[in-house]
Amino acid sequence: MKKYSIVIHPAELLDEIKKIKQDLKSLIGWYSSVNALAHFTICEFWADENKLEKVKQEVSKLIVNWQKKVIVLTSFDSFTRRAFYVKPDKDSSLYLKALFKAIAVKVKEIIPNACICTTPHLSIGRRLSEEQLQVAKDYFTTYSNSFICEGVMIREFNPVRKQYDLKEFLRF
């Protein structure tokens, strides 16, 4: 059994988000997710090869005709559980929520204990202390960019690097 995730992988924002994370690291020191590539997590799950193949087949069938959309990111925000992230605008958030929910239903049919994300967000930092979160909020005050959502990425957790490796892109 291996750990996998399905994410929106905004390839065109990777360098920019990496720079934001490195800038935050220079202000607060190392923090959880500093080295993670930019992504919106849809779900995480443990699976063997057979279940992973079923997930891939079902998700591929579901999204084959899904509408591509420009996702507009408009601001930084935070969760009370000490996470700092980039937030999509209302229209983009509704689109992503619908996609997340549809994929979650398919994944849960195969892997009932999969962890599902219900609030679309692009994490900058997770598990920050209250002080670190306040620094992030004070320093990073505005954000605006966009990317085209045209599929989802399956990632496999690499226990040696303690990061996810990109495995397969499923295009709309």
Side-chain angles (χ1 to χ4, degrees), residues 16-137:
E16 180 176 85
I17 297 301
K18 182 178 183 176
K19 182 176 180 344
I20 291 169
K21 288 181 174 205
Q22 291 304 314
D23 288 350
L24 181 57
K25 180 183 174 189
S26 72
L27 294 169
I28 66 171
W30 184 91
Y31 62 91
S32 185
S33 74
V34 66
N35 295 317
L37 293 177
H39 66 280
F40 290 79
T41 301
I42 299 171
C43 61
E44 294 178 337
F45 55 91
W46 289 86
D48 59 23
E49 283 298 318
N50 290 334
K51 292 228 177 182
L52 177 63
E53 191 56 39
K54 284 181 185 175
V55 167
K56 283 179 8 183
Q57 289 172 3
E58 290 302 313
V59 171
S60 293
K61 281 192 278 185
L62 171 74
I63 67 171
V64 70
N65 293 315
W66 203 271
Q67 175 188 352
K68 295 176 187 176
K69 181 168 179 58
V70 173
I71 302 300
V72 178
L73 304 172
T74 56
S75 63
F76 290 107
D77 205 345
S78 62
F79 291 123
T80 54
R81 60 184 182 275
R82 301 191 318 245
F84 188 67
Y85 63 93
V86 175
K87 181 176 169 177
D89 71 3
K90 186 176 180 180
D91 188 48
S92 297
S93 188
L94 290 171
Y95 168 87
L96 291 171
K97 283 181 181 181
L99 177 62
F100 284 27
K101 185 174 182 180
I103 290 174
V105 167
K106 292 295 180 189
V107 171
K108 285 264 197 193
E109 287 172 359
I110 300 161
I111 303 169
N113 63 343
C115 181
I116 305 299
C117 180
T118 56
T119 304
H121 65 283
L122 192 160
S123 291
I124 299 299
R126 294 180 295 114
R127 295 192 287 269
L128 301 176
S129 70
E130 288 182 28
E131 295 79 18
Q132 290 173 318
L133 181 58
Q134 192 59 54
V135 169
K137 288 177 174 181

